[in-house]
Amino acid sequence: PLIALARTLASVGAHADAADVWTTALGVAPGDASILAGYGRALLALNQPQLALTQLEKARVAGPNSDVENALGITYDMLGDAPAAQSAYRRGLEIAPADLSLSNNLALSLALSGEAEEAIRLLEGALAQPGANAQHRQNLALVYGLAGFDDLAAELGRADLDERAVAS
């Protein structure tokens, strides 16, 4: 019941309350990987990446989990450690090669660390997958813009945005 409550609280944006429930759940089952991961994600949502890292690394020890690797990647990116973030995303993709969230996050991390060509290749591949959506398309447009391909960025941006937003 505690896990269900924490997940419900997180789904409605009550991350501080969710973190409190995750803490209570850890008191009942201190080594449970899903509880550690949930608590880590709640701490991420509360902009506490260093504390999240501790919980997520503990969850990672329990075994391969693409969601934990994704959360670890986000955490390392928040902490400014792009190489560690990219390693986590790549580990996650080894577990779940078709995971659009992992591909998207890896591509954004690469783009922000100056590796736009690989980021574009990843995002173009992700956009061709079932389940790709406007967020993936706009992230590719953003990376095109960062890489200096303004015409491609604007063209792709227009699929979802008005002219003012595209210009911005």
Side-chain angles (χ1 to χ4, degrees):
L2 291 172
I3 292 172
L5 176 58
R7 288 180 177 158
T8 300
L9 288 167
S11 74
V12 297
H15 300 293
D17 292 333
D20 289 342
V21 174
W22 286 121
T23 301
T24 302
L26 280 172
V28 175
D32 186 288
S34 66
I35 295 171
L36 290 163
Y39 185 37
R41 283 190 294 274
L43 291 167
L44 270 180
L46 294 170
N47 198 28
Q48 297 179 27
Q50 195 61 55
L51 294 173
L53 181 62
T54 301
Q55 302 308 313
L56 293 167
E57 286 290 355
K58 288 179 188 177
R60 183 171 177 262
V61 170
N65 183 310
S66 62
D67 290 334
V68 170
E69 295 297 349
N70 199 19
L72 276 167
I74 293 166
T75 303
Y76 281 120
D77 270 332
M78 288 176 74
L79 292 169
D81 188 347
Q86 292 161 21
S87 291
Y89 297 133
R90 290 182 199 283
R91 285 191 306 269
L93 284 167
E94 288 175 10
I95 299 164
D99 188 307
L100 290 173
S101 180
L102 282 161
S103 295
N104 183 66
N105 290 342
L106 173 57
L108 290 175
S109 182
L110 288 165
L112 293 173
S113 60
E115 304 203 29
E117 286 182 31
E118 185 177 358
I120 288 170
R121 187 175 41 76
L122 274 168
L123 285 169
E124 287 175 341
L127 201 54
Q129 299 297 317
N133 59 34
Q135 178 185 357
H136 301 108
R137 192 169 33 254
Q138 291 311 308
N139 285 340
L140 178 55
L142 172 68
V143 175
Y144 279 153
L146 290 172
F149 301 117
D150 296 341
D151 291 340
L152 285 172
E155 181 182 333
L156 200 54
R158 286 186 188 98
D160 306 295
L161 306 173
D162 61 30
E163 282 302 317
R164 182 176 172 191
V166 169
S168 176

